[in-house]
Amino acid sequence: MGGSFPTNPDFKSGFVTLVGRPNAGKSTLLNAIMGKKIAITSNTAQTTRHRFRAVHTTDEAQMIIVDTPGLHKPKDALGEELNTSAIKALEDVDVVAMLIDASQPIGRGDEWVAEQVRAAKGSAKICVLSKTDLASDAQISAQREAAERLCAWDAMVGLSSATGRNVDAFVEEVEFLLPQGPAWFPADMETDQPLEVMVAEFIREKVLRNFFDEIPHAIGVGVEEMEFEEPNLYRIYAVIYVERDSQKGIIIGKRGAAIKRIGTEARKDLELLLGAKVFLDLSVKVKKNWRRDANQIRRFGYGEGA
């Protein structure tokens, strides 16, 4: 990709990894920093399956933000891959930011994540109390005290990605902790994710938001074909993979109503992402027990082996 690089001699740059338990608000914070949606979000644990990098560039600094899958106790090969991916993202970065939901008591899961953060050598460490819009002042104060016991933090920020409160303060703290250095990416680059991966993820988000319980974890999405037609149209053919025939029926829905709804919702977001009209063709296929097959997980591009 072309694009100019900042030339400020005092320029700072580096990598910041966002870690935390599932649903701590990592992807939502990334989108708030970028001022647009580039990472998918939902209330389903393990929404993030890719180690996702976004690039935020100003005249003073460039921060490469690494969004990670939520650290959790894995139940299958997919969960193990996601944990491996998240822990590897702590290696060789300049800043580690651990998100803790301000509205939920700190538990053993947070303590385990903090243990991984403490083990990350050579990086500055920021504690982010997220979702402060959902917590009372008393909750936030108690959470701050509890969080201070988890690690020797270089900074602590309470913020709300939903309202935007203190998101800029978090960016300023990160930039302060970054070392001087050149820009790694052109100023107009926002992510290193291939377009096909982002398209597949935007489709998967709509499945997560429309279905609950078992199905969200049982789906993978692959883009089979994507082509641009002048003057302003993308044709996208994608497959939603499930593990059982019964799940296929649920995704398709009565007379195709469910998959039509998924396609309509996904197309709206994809048109914003791509800046063009989108023709989206979705199909559903069964790939039995793919979450237990490390090779299949990597073919989907999930986890560390992608």
Side-chain angles (χ1 to χ4, degrees), residues 133-150:
D133 56 308
L134 303 179
S136 66
D137 289 343
Q139 279 179 302
I140 295 169
S141 178
Q143 200 75 320
R144 186 179 293 274
E145 287 185 21
E148 284 173 350
R149 294 192 287 269
L150 292 176

Side-chain angles (χ1 to χ4, degrees), residues 108-285:
R108 283 185 294 180
D110 293 299
E111 292 169 357
W112 186 79
V113 176
E115 188 180 324
Q116 313 309 309
V117 172
R118 290 196 303 271
K121 304 299 182 187
S123 57
K125 296 169 178 63
I126 299 179
C127 179
V128 178
L129 301 180
S130 63
K131 306 186 185 182
T132 56
D133 56 308
L134 303 179
S136 66
D137 289 343
Q139 279 179 302
I140 295 169
S141 178
Q143 200 75 320
R144 186 179 293 274
E145 287 185 21
E148 284 173 350
R149 294 192 287 269
L150 292 176
C151 184
W153 305 107
D154 294 284
M156 185 177 289
V157 180
L159 57 77
S160 167
S161 300
T163 67
R165 178 179 173 270
N166 271 357
V167 171
D168 287 346
F170 169 72
V171 172
E172 288 173 10
E173 289 285 4
V174 172
E175 289 183 351
F176 176 76
L177 293 167
L178 290 178
Q180 280 195 332
W184 296 96
F185 298 101
D188 61 352
M189 184 172 175
E190 293 179 326
T191 176
D192 68 345
Q193 285 282 53
L195 205 50
E196 287 83 357
V197 170
M198 295 183 71
V199 168
E201 287 292 88
F202 273 45
I203 296 167
R204 187 167 66 87
E205 178 193 60
K206 300 312 174 189
V207 181
L208 297 181
R209 288 177 175 268
N210 276 279
F211 300 99
F212 304 98
D213 301 326
E214 172 71 356
I215 285 182
H217 299 299
I219 66 154
V221 177
V223 173
E224 302 284 290
E225 188 178 340
M226 179 170 161
E227 56 188 35
F228 181 73
E229 288 184 5
E230 296 289 355
N232 195 39
L233 174 69
Y234 275 95
R235 290 189 179 275
I236 299 169
Y237 298 85
V239 179
I240 299 170
Y241 292 93
V242 295
E243 293 186 314
R244 297 195 297 274
D245 289 325
S246 59
Q247 294 165 346
K248 179 178 178 179
I250 293 170
I251 295 289
I252 293 172
K254 191 174 182 180
R255 295 177 182 168
I259 196 165
K260 184 178 180 181
R261 184 170 67 248
I262 292 164
T264 299
E265 293 176 7
R267 192 172 65 249
K268 288 178 183 176
D269 271 5
L270 290 172
E271 288 181 342
L272 287 174
L273 174 72
L274 299 170
K277 292 290 184 184
V278 169
F279 167 82
L280 179 61
D281 181 275
L282 292 178
S283 57
V284 186
K285 293 182 181 179

